[in-house]
Amino acid sequence: MKDQAQQALDTAAAQGATYADARVMDIRQRYLSTKNGQAGQVRDSHSLGIGIRVIADGAWGFASTQDLSRPSIDAAAAQAVEIARASALCKKRNVRLAPEGKAIDHWEAACKVDPFTIPVSTCLDLLLKVDAELRKVKGVTLAEAALDFRKIDQVFLSSEGSEIRQVKTQTGAGFVATSFSGNEIQRRSYPNSFGGQYQTRGYELVEELDLLGHAPEIAEQAVALHQCDQCPAGEKDIILGSSQLGLQIHESIGHPIELDRVLGDEANFAGMSFLTLDKLGKLKYASDIVNVVADATVLHGPGLGTFAYDDEGVAAQCTPIIQNGLFAGYLTSRESAASIGQPRSSGAMRADGWNRIPLIRMTNVSLLPGKGKLEDLIADTNDGIYLETNRSWSIDDRRYNFQFGTEIGWEIKHGKKTRMLKNPSYGGITTEFWNSCDAICGLEEWVLWGTPNCGKGQPMQTMGTGHGASPARFRKVKVGVAYQGN
Amino acid sequence: MKQQHNEPMTLSRQSADELFSKVLKYSRAEETEASVTGTSYSLTRFANNTIHQNVSEEDINLSVRAVAGQRTARASTNKLDDDSIREVCEAALALASLQPPNPDLLPMPGPQMYRAVDRYDGETAQLSPQTRAETVRKVIQRAEKDGLTAAGVFSSGCTVHALYNSRGLAAFHEESISEFSVTMLGETSSGWAKKTGPRHQALDIDALADRAARKALRSREPREAPPGKYAVILEPSAVMDLLGFLLLDFGGLSVYEKRSCFTGRVGEKVFGENIQIRDDVFHPSSGGAPFDGEGVPRQRVSLVENGVLKNLVYCRETAHKMGAQPTGHGFPLPNEYGEAPLNLVVEGGHASEEEMIRSTERGLLVTRFWYIREVDPYAKILTGMTRDGTFWIENGEVKYGVKNFRFNQSIIEMLNQVEMMSPSERAAGEESIEMVVPKMKIREFNFSSLTKF
């Protein structure tokens, strides 16, 4: 892989590139799923190729190919330079990169049990047992379970002398019970919706999740939702479960802090951000107890945003994002950092494959824990709603107005979790919402969630991001908003 | 599959045939299917009136499905040497062998006849980065003429898809692809336009840029309108991005498994009498191959007639389960979703946008929606935001731009309240696949909250 990347750099330089980097990526994926007692998807995939990014005539070009023969790599490198020269036809100024020292390193993410060594029959057996448990509960009309394993082996070389090899193993697991009754479809998922939990780990994650042990309760909840009351509409104090809070962080903090959005690079598709440059260090983003970091280092945990170097060869960092409620930092690239006068990239450039350029992506954007257990927080709440497990999510293209739905909720009355509520939803304006946060549970409730399906860029890239959160309380939030008027 | 500098990869039918011959040679499965996909794709992206990203991709993927004793599995690779082909065949067979039998699995289909579709333009497939950059430069000049900032994409390329199986089925489809979309940004407003198609010459990029610019200029200094239920005129992009949330619901398996909003509603009047929806891969504005994931020929299917849900679409296995005929809408096996219509055509009307506006006493005109998500899967309530050009209509005239709204609206109810429709056109958005849909005037649409811009 290194030889092929080096060949690409040599050819790019010979063609006139003033900067070049090359990533060779070897990506293996295994996806196994079951549905109502049958195997669903059972598939392996393997994708290998090289992506070559260059600056020539002061502008960017990128070309990629799956054909790693010498003539093909030469052709792709030359094409990248040709594309850069075409980009220069519309440039306003030359691309400038924040300085970065060269790195020569080899890093492998910790993985206790390589999921690709677990027999497929063992995996399917587990999923089918979960499936059977779900369908034991009368009223469950659809049982679905899945395991998703990925191994990414990549080599990055740059014309500035960096040579970095990184190997990561990622594992995802989860199940869903669906119940149709009357004129209603209800779902419950474990440990999270839309695929379950994902981390940069091995099969040990699957074992720790105890999918089978949680199946009966989740199935019963899916059916029970039909009989319970609709989430009321109005203003309520709410407590968000940690996985829902993870997505709230993703949408209303993680995306707005991407500096490419702020600068307008994503204006046509993913959108921009309300966090204009004048707000850095000045905006009261959240209440004083809120502290958020973007942390790609292994010290933060095995998140989907954990790595040693980003795809520009910048070492993983922990960047303060919100400090005691004050907006403190962006996620940046070498180019965007330079454009706002910052001395160094925050190391957030990531590509989802060899055939895509790196973009500014969330690493592990996490809410730091506060104190106490969830039960203590509920006991401290007089009149509120506890909401758990995301069902729908939407936010405007500058990240002000959001609305989330969850699979389930419970009313809290006088410090006790009481009746179950169906179809819960809540909405608000980002900074008003975060400034209403008055309690965050402690480290014992903190989970580093994985969001495997974050879309951005054109062509679209799907990236995994990490979000640590423990349950937190927000005062006077509009609830029941999704069903008002319907 | 040899490629030369500056020329896009072309996966010829002969090259694909040769790959399948090797698959057949190496596969030890009872039945074998091979899907070969070639992609040659380039995209020029601009923002802040400059090209900031400019990329190109060449890839050929071989995906092998093996059957062993009522069990099936898939393995894929983009390494195409003999050893890798042998490995991918073995991997597919091993995966299939390790799972419990599926009594519903059908034998692979035999040879099929396909109606030809012409969706390939060599010029579009091989458009140079210089041509795309020159075009973008003109768009930027258009923006700068009015003090606007342009952001968008201009992409081009081609995809080739060949599908074979060991029972003699062989299907081949090639399609050129192009897309232009642009957002024109003013200080307080924005406008957007987008078009896709197999021929870049038909995109009419000058007109799209002009349209986006005019929207941005017209919606300057947007005012706040209170949330509520309004008559609304939805442009085709807004219509299609909503209707995209119905695609899987039209699948037979979705109804069979009771996860469709049409569960218990087949044969019933679900929408207003003026709503006719079909799936039609042969429509001149449709895209895609005339066969499905198993190689079954796609058929035209009338889904909704006079508001009545007449038919669903079926892959072979679902059709067998439900006593129906396959319609050629299945996804590649194995999968959890079964099938879906991918070429929706909604029959339009004769109203012009001007007539819709003139007939509106008080309402809104929506250019596009953004971040649409399903709130309720059976009532089919969707939420999302307006974006890039939302206008206040009063006394039959567009008065001014308004700040963007969030909506929470059942699209089943929406399609019962369609008052006027324009002729249909191929529309492109960002939340769903292309469709042929009209502009629609809706009697009442539920805008539930406002944002700050």
Side-chain angles (χ1 to χ4, degrees):
Chain A
M1 290 164 82
K2 182 186 160 191
D3 291 347
Q4 290 148 335
Q6 186 60 56
Q7 184 202 334
L9 297 188
D10 293 344
T11 304
Q15 294 288 328
T18 53
Y19 168 86
D21 58 42
R23 273 177 302 114
V24 181
M25 292 182 76
D26 190 332
I27 305 167
R28 289 181 183 274
Q29 187 182 13
R30 172 166 293 163
Y31 185 80
L32 307 168
S33 70
T34 56
K35 189 175 71 172
N36 278 359
Q38 298 288 335
Q41 286 200 55
V42 181
R43 64 174 160 85
D44 273 3
S45 62
H46 179 209
S47 183
L48 171 67
I50 187 169
I52 305 155
R53 190 177 71 141
V54 306
I55 299 173
D57 289 355
W60 285 115
F62 175 85
S64 61
T65 179
Q66 114 285 357
D67 182 349
L68 296 182
S69 65
R70 289 191 69 86
S72 172
I73 291 173
D74 283 344
Q79 189 186 17
V81 174
E82 184 194 356
I83 288 172
R85 293 205 162 109
S87 301
L89 294 173
C90 292
K91 74 175 178 185
K92 301 290 186 205
R93 61 192 68 81
N94 287 345
V95 172
R96 205 162 50 89
L97 301 179
E100 186 65 31
K102 75 174 181 182
I104 298 174
D105 205 351
H106 179 172
W107 175 80
E108 294 201 19
C111 169
K112 287 183 188 162
V113 184
D114 182 347
F116 290 90
T117 65
I118 305 295
V120 169
S121 53
T122 303
C123 297
L124 288 172
D125 185 51
L126 170 65
L127 296 179
L128 288 168
K129 280 181 179 157
V130 170
D131 181 289
E133 281 298 314
L134 296 175
R135 286 184 298 123
K136 270 185 194 170
V137 176
K138 192 179 173 191
V140 169
T141 49
L142 187 62
E144 296 169 286
L147 297 173
D148 191 357
F149 310 133
R150 193 172 295 202
K151 185 173 279 188
I152 304 161
D153 186 347
Q154 75 173 66
V155 168
F156 170 90
L157 264 66
S158 80
S159 57
E160 295 173 341
S162 286
E163 292 180 17
I164 301 163
R165 182 171 176 211
Q166 298 187 85
V167 182
K168 286 186 292 191
T169 303
Q170 296 173 340
T171 295
F175 64 80
V176 189
T178 303
S179 175
F180 174 84
S181 179
N183 59 358
E184 199 173 73
I185 296 170
Q186 293 291 349
R187 286 192 188 104
R188 282 293 285 134
S189 310
Y190 176 84
N192 198 359
S193 48
F194 305 102
Q197 169 64 315
Y198 279 74
Q199 290 189 328
T200 299
R201 300 174 72 192
Y203 197 77
E204 65 271 18
L205 173 66
V206 179
E207 289 164 343
E208 286 172 19
L209 290 173
D210 186 17
L211 299 176
L212 196 54
H214 287 85
E217 183 189 6
I218 291 293
E220 283 158 14
Q221 287 178 350
V223 177
L225 279 165
H226 291 297
Q227 306 305 324
C228 73
D229 293 331
Q230 176 83 5
C231 174
E235 266 191 2
K236 288 271 186 187
D237 294 344
I238 64 168
I239 297 174
L240 297 182
S242 73
S243 67
Q244 171 57 33
L245 189 51
L247 192 59
Q248 176 80 47
I249 294 165
H250 178 99
E251 299 292 357
S252 64
I253 297 177
H255 279 308
I257 62 173
E258 295 164 345
L259 187 55
D260 54 350
R261 286 178 185 261
V262 176
L263 298 177
D265 288 359
E266 292 287 332
N268 183 56
F269 179 60
M272 297 174 68
S273 169
F274 71 92
L275 287 175
T276 46
L277 298 176
D278 56 301
K279 295 188 173 73
L280 184 61
K282 293 178 184 158
L283 175 73
K284 189 74 170 38
Y285 203 125
S287 61
D288 291 348
I289 63 167
V290 173
N291 288 281
V292 174
V293 295
D295 193 346
T297 69
V298 292
L299 294 173
H300 195 71
L304 289 185
T306 300
F307 47 78
Y309 297 87
D310 77 353
D311 289 336
E312 289 191 309
V314 178
Q317 297 163 46
C318 177
T319 305
I321 300 300
I322 299 175
Q323 288 182 306
N324 301 323
L326 197 67
F327 172 45
Y330 293 110
L331 291 166
T332 65
S333 62
R334 293 183 66 187
E335 183 182 12
S336 62
S339 75
I340 65 165
Q342 292 194 345
R344 191 187 180 204
S345 163
S346 71
M349 287 287 270
R350 305 162 71 200
D352 76 351
W354 53 266
N355 55 350
R356 296 287 182 266
I357 54 168
L359 300 172
I360 294 176
R361 304 307 298 255
M362 285 173 240
T363 54
N364 301 305
V365 180
S366 299
L367 174 67
L368 298 183
K371 282 183 184 166
K373 293 182 176 175
L374 174 59
E375 62 192 60
D376 300 331
L377 184 55
I378 289 171
D380 183 55
T381 303
N382 186 48
D383 181 14
I385 299 176
Y386 173 67
L387 299 102
E388 193 171 276
T389 317
N390 183 262
R391 189 164 97 173
S392 70
W393 68 104
S394 174
I395 190 163
D396 71 47
D397 58 287
R398 296 197 181 182
R399 306 275 153 180
Y400 285 113
N401 178 312
F402 65 82
Q403 179 181 301
F404 291 93
T406 62
E407 290 183 348
I408 195 166
W410 283 271
E411 191 172 51
I412 300 169
K413 282 285 183 193
H414 310 301
K416 289 198 164 40
K417 212 166 118 179
T418 59
R419 60 179 177 144
M420 184 187 284
L421 298 172
K422 67 181 170 188
N423 305 327
S425 60
Y426 67 98
I429 296 292
T430 292
T431 47
E432 294 169 11
F433 177 79
W434 282 104
N435 274 285
S436 78
C437 180
D438 78 335
I440 303 167
C441 290
L443 188 60
E444 62 268 45
E445 303 278 358
W446 195 86
V447 178
L448 182 49
W449 294 98
T451 301
N453 56 346
C454 178
K456 185 178 177 182
Q458 293 168 297
M460 169 72 91
Q461 299 191 38
T462 303
M463 184 57 70
T465 62
H467 306 290
S470 42
R473 183 173 61 198
F474 299 83
R475 297 289 195 183
K476 292 184 179 174
V477 176
K478 284 182 182 164
V479 298
V481 288
Y483 283 80
Q484 280 184 300
N486 280 290
Chain B
M1 288 164 287
K2 291 278 181 198
Q3 54 185 319
Q4 294 181 323
H5 177 40
N6 291 345
E7 289 183 6
M9 170 274 306
T10 49
L11 173 68
S12 67
R13 178 148 199 169
Q14 186 185 345
S15 303
D17 287 349
E18 286 167 10
L19 277 175
F20 180 60
S21 298
K22 290 181 181 177
V23 168
L24 272 188
K25 181 174 145 192
Y26 295 129
S27 176
R28 296 183 298 115
E30 288 166 25
E31 291 188 311
T32 305
E33 175 194 278
S35 169
V36 187
T37 308
T39 304
S40 175
Y41 181 72
S42 298
L43 182 144
T44 299
R45 199 170 190 215
F46 53 102
N48 294 308
N49 289 347
T50 186
I51 291 176
H52 67 312
Q53 294 167 11
N54 207 345
V55 302
S56 174
E57 172 190 1
E58 306 286 343
D59 194 16
I60 298 173
N61 188 273
L62 169 65
S63 184
V64 174
R65 181 165 74 90
V67 171
Q70 289 294 115
R71 298 169 293 193
T72 192
R74 181 176 292 279
S76 61
T77 183
N78 66 352
K79 286 180 73 179
L80 304 175
D81 57 277
D82 281 20
D83 286 346
S84 298
I85 294 171
R86 184 187 289 112
E87 281 171 21
V88 80
C89 292
E90 289 296 319
L93 180 58
L95 285 172
S97 306
L98 291 167
Q99 58 183 280
N102 172 8
D104 295 326
L105 184 68
L106 298 173
M108 290 183 181
Q112 308 284 321
M113 297 288 287
Y114 305 108
R115 180 177 155 185
V117 292
D118 176 16
R119 288 174 181 152
Y120 187 83
D121 172 62
E123 187 180 309
T124 301
Q126 300 190 37
L127 210 60
S128 72
Q130 290 80 11
T131 303
R132 288 193 304 277
E134 293 290 356
T135 304
V136 168
R137 183 155 66 180
K138 280 194 219 164
V139 172
I140 290 169
Q141 286 166 351
R142 170 66 186 88
E144 289 174 339
K145 189 184 96 179
D146 280 316
L148 299 170
T149 302
V153 295
F154 182 18
S155 70
S156 57
C158 64
T159 60
V160 177
H161 181 208
L163 185 69
Y164 309 87
N165 71 32
S166 51
R167 286 180 177 261
L169 181 144
F172 186 84
H173 175 72
E174 60 183 350
E175 184 160 340
S176 49
I177 46 180
S178 64
E179 169 187 340
F180 179 81
S181 73
V182 62
T183 303
M184 294 285 191
L185 295 148
E187 287 292 316
T188 56
S189 62
S190 56
W192 174 86
K194 177 176 180 179
K195 205 166 178 182
T196 64
R199 293 170 182 81
H200 80 96
Q201 306 88 336
L203 295 178
D204 200 354
I205 288 172
D206 291 346
L208 292 171
D210 195 56
R211 188 159 168 254
R214 282 187 283 110
K215 279 181 180 286
L217 295 171
R218 196 165 188 187
S219 57
R220 275 177 170 165
E221 304 296 339
R223 304 183 196 177
E224 274 191 12
K229 292 189 175 182
Y230 291 106
V232 65
I233 298 167
L234 303 179
E235 295 200 352
S237 297
V239 171
M240 62 148 285
D241 275 341
L242 294 177
L243 295 191
F245 282 78
L246 288 175
L247 292 178
L248 286 169
D249 296 83
F250 281 118
L253 189 62
S254 178
V255 171
Y256 183 81
E257 292 177 342
K258 299 186 170 79
R259 55 185 161 83
S260 166
C261 70
F262 297 130
T263 304
R265 290 167 169 165
V266 179
E268 292 186 3
K269 187 167 172 299
V270 289
F271 303 139
E273 280 184 14
N274 56 350
I275 301 300
Q276 333 283 334
I277 304 175
R278 68 182 190 274
D279 187 75
D280 186 359
V281 73
F282 304 108
H283 189 286
S285 295
S286 287
F291 51 88
D292 74 359
E294 280 192 279
V296 176
R298 286 192 191 280
Q299 295 175 18
R300 276 198 191 105
V301 177
S302 176
L303 299 165
V304 176
E305 295 175 16
N306 302 323
V308 177
L309 178 59
K310 286 284 189 182
N311 297 295
L312 303 171
V313 296
Y314 302 94
C315 69
R316 294 169 69 240
E317 189 174 310
T318 306
H320 186 70
K321 278 180 183 168
M322 297 180 73
Q325 289 299 311
T327 59
H329 290 84
F331 296 121
L333 293 178
N335 71 79
E336 298 100 332
Y337 296 104
E339 58 279 303
L342 300 179
N343 292 281
L344 232 53
V345 177
V346 178
E347 196 170 304
H350 304 288
S352 66
E353 184 174 303
E354 292 68 32
E355 286 169 332
M356 293 183 193
I357 293 166
R358 271 205 304 275
S359 70
T360 303
E361 194 180 324
R362 186 169 172 270
L364 294 161
L365 170 68
V366 172
T367 299
R368 71 187 285 208
F369 288 125
W370 160 250
Y371 224 131
I372 306 170
R373 290 294 181 273
E374 187 177 84
V375 164
D376 188 300
Y378 196 69
K380 216 62 187 177
I381 299 169
L382 306 181
T383 191
M385 299 295 303
T386 63
R387 181 174 173 180
D388 297 328
T390 307
F391 298 90
W392 181 256
I393 303 169
E394 197 169 299
N395 298 326
E397 287 180 25
V398 172
K399 294 290 188 184
Y400 44 78
V402 291
K403 291 187 178 178
N404 287 297
F405 287 98
R406 171 169 299 287
F407 68 88
N408 280 283
Q409 172 68 47
S410 160
I411 49 171
I412 295 176
E413 285 182 16
M414 181 190 95
L415 291 173
N416 275 288
Q417 297 190 56
V418 179
E419 289 188 333
M420 299 170 86
M421 287 186 279
S422 71
S424 291
E425 60 184 83
R426 177 181 168 115
E430 299 294 2
E431 307 268 348
S432 185
I433 54 176
E434 284 80 353
M435 291 177 202
V436 180
V437 295
K439 294 183 180 103
M440 287 183 176
K441 182 183 171 189
I442 313 295
R443 189 180 313 124
E444 204 172 58
F445 197 91
N446 185 33
F447 293 101
S448 51
S449 64
L450 265 183
T451 191
K452 293 183 176 293
F453 62 96

